[in-house]
Amino acid sequence: MTTKTEDNICRTGSVFPLIMEYGTYLFAVLMFAGKFGTLREIGLYLPAFLWLLQGILEKKMNLEWREPLFIALVALSLSAAVSSFLSTSPSQSLHFFKREYLKVILLYVVISSTFGSRERLKRFALLLAVTGIVYLIVGYTRIATDLLRTGTIHYDETRYYATVFLFFFSFFLLQNISTTKIRRVLWTIPLIVSMAGILLIGVRGSWLALFGILCIWIYFLKESSKNIFTVLKIGIPPIITVIIIIFILFPGQYQLIKEHTVQKVQMSLRVETWNTFLMMSQERFFTGHGLDDAAMTEHYREFYKGLKGAYPVEGFNPTTPHNQFIKILYQQGMAGLLLYVALLGMLFWRTIKTFLRDRERDYAFVGIAVIAAVLGEYVIRCLTEDRSLVPLSLLLGMAGAYLNLRERSEGRGGG
């Protein structure tokens, strides 16, 4: 005979994970949407609350605490907290800590524990691919609207879609190699469309990141890499044809991409900005200046004026580092930068090691999709951009779940 308490715990053990799973889906779908903030927050905090409540009821937290990836993430977050407390504006820095690192930890905890089964992890990867198709439709609608109205894409506003397309690209490719026949043909379409969009928008950093993603997939597929080459062989001719047609119909867009591609002024300004932020970082080299982006921008303006005798020109000179690694160095000091690099290194090392062990299993390439997305978005792309760590934490959570599958097969459940 089971007690009433045991029955309640049993029910929560089956219902809570389901709500946590679909709550996470809600967050993932709306992650890049500018609106729907309330729904996005529900998708983040409700699963986290249920994870904590379930752990209290069952007297055991479903999390692999000893996972090196989790330890590195916690260490990076502690570095952010220390730099915030020691900054000149602790309250504002702690506000940014809540907006960024609290979400990072919660997403990792929920995703790594909730999606620690093969079917759920594959389902999550499929959900991301389907979500990517929705963002492709939204992005191309914006591109088409700009072209029809002005003859060129509004670069400053549309360039964001190059980052979004890049994030989902690996999950399109994952679905393409994981299926056969007509489904493979169908998943080839978003692959080609996303590549065309990235090229057409004209963000050079995304071009390099796309190349890096393709290289890592080709390397790990090895004998199956013909699938990617087939996609490229099929996709490149129509991509080139469509782009040429667009350039003929909208010569202004051709001129914009041509000027942007060979533009040296923008790159020289970024190098100058990097050097300035490196000099600013030396003031608080070990602990950093805190996470307050507004204070960082104002500090840069004043420092720039001290160097140049005038404030940076609005809309011409960048006032953020435009480099994720330099931004972390400035905000969290050398300790934070080393921990961030260690986190990325741990992600690649642990995931690749797991993939090589389990590469014959049907879920194995989910790990490659994750590290390819991180390589493209947060290594190559972030050499010329600084951005939120929240999308990275979603990928880290998937990696944590992926690694947890191997641990469980050895009889080491989380807890």
Side-chain angles (χ1 to χ4, degrees), residues 126 129-130 133 136 171-173 175-177 179-194 231 234:
L126 175 60
V130 174
I133 293 175
L136 278 177
F171 296 98
F172 295 150
L173 194 45
Q175 299 305 317
N176 180 271
I177 68 159
T179 189
T180 56
K181 298 180 180 178
I182 187 65
R183 290 184 179 181
R184 174 167 289 170
V185 174
L186 292 176
W187 280 112
T188 299
I189 296 172
L191 270 175
I192 294 173
V193 171
S194 58
V231 169
I234 294 172

Short mmCIF file of all heavy atoms in Angstrom, two decimals, residues 126 129-130 133 136 171-173 175-177 179-194 231 234:
data_model
loop_
_atom_site.label_atom_id
_atom_site.label_comp_id
_atom_site.label_asym_id
_atom_site.label_seq_id
_atom_site.Cartn_x
_atom_site.Cartn_y
_atom_site.Cartn_z
N LEU A 126 14.69 18.39 -32.98
CA LEU A 126 13.71 18.54 -34.06
C LEU A 126 12.91 19.82 -33.87
O LEU A 126 12.64 20.55 -34.84
CB LEU A 126 12.77 17.33 -34.08
CG LEU A 126 11.61 17.39 -35.08
CD1 LEU A 126 12.14 17.51 -36.50
CD2 LEU A 126 10.72 16.15 -34.93
N ALA A 129 14.83 22.72 -35.09
CA ALA A 129 14.85 22.77 -36.56
C ALA A 129 13.55 23.35 -37.10
O ALA A 129 13.56 24.20 -38.01
CB ALA A 129 15.12 21.38 -37.12
N VAL A 130 12.42 22.90 -36.56
CA VAL A 130 11.12 23.42 -37.00
C VAL A 130 11.00 24.90 -36.66
O VAL A 130 10.50 25.70 -37.47
CB VAL A 130 9.98 22.62 -36.36
CG1 VAL A 130 8.63 23.25 -36.69
CG2 VAL A 130 10.02 21.17 -36.83
N ILE A 133 12.69 27.05 -39.16
CA ILE A 133 11.91 27.28 -40.38
C ILE A 133 10.99 28.49 -40.20
O ILE A 133 10.84 29.32 -41.10
CB ILE A 133 11.10 26.03 -40.75
CG1 ILE A 133 12.06 24.89 -41.15
CG2 ILE A 133 10.13 26.33 -41.87
CD1 ILE A 133 11.35 23.57 -41.42
N LEU A 136 13.03 31.51 -40.51
CA LEU A 136 13.37 31.72 -41.93
C LEU A 136 12.24 32.46 -42.65
O LEU A 136 12.49 33.40 -43.42
CB LEU A 136 13.63 30.38 -42.62
CG LEU A 136 15.00 29.73 -42.47
CD1 LEU A 136 15.01 28.38 -43.16
CD2 LEU A 136 16.10 30.62 -43.02
N PHE A 171 20.94 22.48 -36.89
CA PHE A 171 19.81 21.59 -36.59
C PHE A 171 19.05 21.22 -37.86
O PHE A 171 18.46 20.14 -37.93
CB PHE A 171 18.91 22.25 -35.54
CG PHE A 171 19.63 22.43 -34.23
CD1 PHE A 171 20.20 23.65 -33.88
CD2 PHE A 171 19.77 21.36 -33.36
CE1 PHE A 171 20.88 23.81 -32.70
CE2 PHE A 171 20.46 21.50 -32.17
CZ PHE A 171 21.02 22.72 -31.83
N PHE A 172 19.08 22.10 -38.87
CA PHE A 172 18.58 21.70 -40.19
C PHE A 172 19.44 20.56 -40.74
O PHE A 172 18.93 19.56 -41.25
CB PHE A 172 18.65 22.88 -41.18
CG PHE A 172 17.77 24.04 -40.85
CD1 PHE A 172 18.14 25.33 -41.22
CD2 PHE A 172 16.57 23.87 -40.19
CE1 PHE A 172 17.33 26.42 -40.94
CE2 PHE A 172 15.75 24.95 -39.89
CZ PHE A 172 16.14 26.23 -40.27
N LEU A 173 20.75 20.73 -40.62
CA LEU A 173 21.67 19.73 -41.14
C LEU A 173 21.54 18.40 -40.39
O LEU A 173 21.61 17.32 -41.00
CB LEU A 173 23.11 20.26 -41.04
CG LEU A 173 24.22 19.55 -41.80
CD1 LEU A 173 23.80 19.24 -43.23
CD2 LEU A 173 25.47 20.39 -41.78
N GLN A 175 18.81 17.18 -39.04
CA GLN A 175 17.62 16.49 -39.52
C GLN A 175 17.86 15.92 -40.92
O GLN A 175 17.36 14.84 -41.25
CB GLN A 175 16.42 17.45 -39.54
CG GLN A 175 16.04 18.01 -38.18
CD GLN A 175 15.79 16.93 -37.15
OE1 GLN A 175 15.16 15.91 -37.43
NE2 GLN A 175 16.31 17.13 -35.94
N ASN A 176 18.62 16.63 -41.72
CA ASN A 176 18.90 16.18 -43.08
C ASN A 176 19.66 14.87 -43.09
O ASN A 176 19.35 13.96 -43.87
CB ASN A 176 19.68 17.26 -43.83
CG ASN A 176 20.01 16.85 -45.25
OD1 ASN A 176 21.04 16.25 -45.50
ND2 ASN A 176 19.15 17.19 -46.19
N ILE A 177 20.66 14.74 -42.21
CA ILE A 177 21.48 13.51 -42.22
C ILE A 177 20.83 12.39 -41.42
O ILE A 177 21.24 11.23 -41.53
CB ILE A 177 22.89 13.78 -41.65
CG1 ILE A 177 22.82 14.09 -40.16
CG2 ILE A 177 23.60 14.86 -42.43
CD1 ILE A 177 24.12 13.88 -39.43
N THR A 179 17.62 11.45 -41.55
CA THR A 179 16.45 10.87 -42.18
C THR A 179 16.79 10.43 -43.60
O THR A 179 17.94 10.54 -44.03
CB THR A 179 15.28 11.89 -42.19
OG1 THR A 179 14.09 11.23 -42.62
CG2 THR A 179 15.59 13.07 -43.11
N THR A 180 15.82 9.93 -44.32
CA THR A 180 16.08 9.39 -45.65
C THR A 180 15.00 9.84 -46.63
O THR A 180 13.96 10.37 -46.26
CB THR A 180 16.09 7.84 -45.62
OG1 THR A 180 14.84 7.38 -45.07
CG2 THR A 180 17.23 7.33 -44.76
N LYS A 181 15.30 9.62 -47.91
CA LYS A 181 14.36 9.80 -49.02
C LYS A 181 13.70 11.18 -49.03
O LYS A 181 14.36 12.20 -48.95
CB LYS A 181 13.33 8.67 -48.99
CG LYS A 181 13.97 7.29 -49.20
CD LYS A 181 12.94 6.19 -49.17
CE LYS A 181 13.60 4.82 -49.37
NZ LYS A 181 12.64 3.71 -49.30
N ILE A 182 12.37 11.21 -49.06
CA ILE A 182 11.66 12.46 -49.25
C ILE A 182 11.88 13.44 -48.11
O ILE A 182 11.95 14.65 -48.31
CB ILE A 182 10.14 12.20 -49.46
CG1 ILE A 182 9.41 13.50 -49.83
CG2 ILE A 182 9.53 11.58 -48.20
CD1 ILE A 182 9.85 14.07 -51.15
N ARG A 183 11.99 12.93 -46.88
CA ARG A 183 12.23 13.81 -45.74
C ARG A 183 13.59 14.50 -45.86
O ARG A 183 13.73 15.65 -45.48
CB ARG A 183 12.15 13.03 -44.43
CG ARG A 183 10.73 12.58 -44.08
CD ARG A 183 10.70 11.91 -42.73
NE ARG A 183 9.35 11.49 -42.38
CZ ARG A 183 9.04 10.88 -41.24
NH1 ARG A 183 9.99 10.63 -40.35
NH2 ARG A 183 7.79 10.54 -40.99
N ARG A 184 14.57 13.78 -46.37
CA ARG A 184 15.89 14.40 -46.55
C ARG A 184 15.80 15.53 -47.57
O ARG A 184 16.41 16.58 -47.40
CB ARG A 184 16.90 13.35 -47.00
CG ARG A 184 18.26 13.94 -47.35
CD ARG A 184 19.31 12.85 -47.49
NE ARG A 184 19.63 12.30 -46.18
CZ ARG A 184 20.37 11.20 -45.99
NH1 ARG A 184 20.84 10.55 -47.04
NH2 ARG A 184 20.62 10.76 -44.78
N VAL A 185 15.03 15.31 -48.62
CA VAL A 185 14.84 16.36 -49.62
C VAL A 185 14.18 17.57 -48.99
O VAL A 185 14.57 18.71 -49.23
CB VAL A 185 13.99 15.83 -50.80
CG1 VAL A 185 13.66 16.96 -51.77
CG2 VAL A 185 14.73 14.70 -51.52
N LEU A 186 13.17 17.33 -48.16
CA LEU A 186 12.45 18.44 -47.51
C LEU A 186 13.36 19.22 -46.58
O LEU A 186 13.28 20.45 -46.51
CB LEU A 186 11.24 17.89 -46.75
CG LEU A 186 10.11 17.31 -47.61
CD1 LEU A 186 9.02 16.71 -46.75
CD2 LEU A 186 9.53 18.39 -48.53
N TRP A 187 14.24 18.53 -45.84
CA TRP A 187 15.15 19.24 -44.94
C TRP A 187 16.30 19.91 -45.69
O TRP A 187 17.00 20.76 -45.12
CB TRP A 187 15.70 18.29 -43.88
CG TRP A 187 14.72 18.05 -42.77
CD1 TRP A 187 14.06 16.89 -42.47
CD2 TRP A 187 14.25 19.01 -41.82
NE1 TRP A 187 13.22 17.06 -41.40
CE2 TRP A 187 13.32 18.36 -40.98
CE3 TRP A 187 14.54 20.36 -41.59
CZ2 TRP A 187 12.67 19.00 -39.93
CZ3 TRP A 187 13.89 21.01 -40.56
CH2 TRP A 187 12.97 20.34 -39.74
N THR A 188 16.49 19.53 -46.95
CA THR A 188 17.50 20.22 -47.76
C THR A 188 17.04 21.64 -48.09
O THR A 188 17.86 22.56 -48.21
CB THR A 188 17.75 19.44 -49.06
OG1 THR A 188 18.24 18.13 -48.73
CG2 THR A 188 18.80 20.15 -49.93
N ILE A 189 15.73 21.85 -48.18
CA ILE A 189 15.20 23.17 -48.54
C ILE A 189 15.58 24.24 -47.51
O ILE A 189 16.14 25.27 -47.88
CB ILE A 189 13.67 23.10 -48.74
CG1 ILE A 189 13.35 22.20 -49.92
CG2 ILE A 189 13.09 24.50 -48.94
CD1 ILE A 189 11.87 21.90 -50.10
N PRO A 190 15.30 24.06 -46.19
CA PRO A 190 15.72 25.10 -45.25
C PRO A 190 17.23 25.26 -45.16
O PRO A 190 17.73 26.36 -44.87
CB PRO A 190 15.13 24.62 -43.91
CG PRO A 190 14.84 23.18 -44.07
CD PRO A 190 14.50 23.00 -45.51
N LEU A 191 17.97 24.17 -45.42
CA LEU A 191 19.44 24.30 -45.47
C LEU A 191 19.86 25.29 -46.55
O LEU A 191 20.66 26.21 -46.31
CB LEU A 191 20.06 22.93 -45.75
CG LEU A 191 20.43 22.04 -44.56
CD1 LEU A 191 20.90 20.69 -45.06
CD2 LEU A 191 21.48 22.69 -43.69
N ILE A 192 19.33 25.10 -47.75
CA ILE A 192 19.68 25.97 -48.87
C ILE A 192 19.18 27.39 -48.65
O ILE A 192 19.90 28.36 -48.88
CB ILE A 192 19.11 25.38 -50.18
CG1 ILE A 192 19.79 24.04 -50.50
CG2 ILE A 192 19.28 26.36 -51.34
CD1 ILE A 192 19.17 23.31 -51.67
N VAL A 193 17.95 27.50 -48.15
CA VAL A 193 17.36 28.82 -47.93
C VAL A 193 18.14 29.60 -46.87
O VAL A 193 18.37 30.80 -47.02
CB VAL A 193 15.88 28.68 -47.53
CG1 VAL A 193 15.30 30.02 -47.09
CG2 VAL A 193 15.07 28.13 -48.70
N SER A 194 18.54 28.93 -45.80
CA SER A 194 19.30 29.62 -44.75
C SER A 194 20.67 30.05 -45.24
O SER A 194 21.14 31.15 -44.93
CB SER A 194 19.42 28.74 -43.50
OG SER A 194 20.05 27.51 -43.79
N VAL A 231 24.31 18.10 -50.65
CA VAL A 231 23.52 19.30 -50.37
C VAL A 231 24.15 20.52 -51.02
O VAL A 231 23.47 21.35 -51.64
CB VAL A 231 23.37 19.52 -48.84
CG1 VAL A 231 22.77 20.90 -48.55
CG2 VAL A 231 22.50 18.43 -48.24
N ILE A 234 23.81 20.36 -54.81
CA ILE A 234 22.44 20.69 -55.22
C ILE A 234 22.11 22.15 -54.93
O ILE A 234 21.45 22.83 -55.72
CB ILE A 234 21.43 19.78 -54.49
CG1 ILE A 234 21.62 18.32 -54.93
CG2 ILE A 234 19.99 20.22 -54.74
CD1 ILE A 234 20.80 17.33 -54.13
#
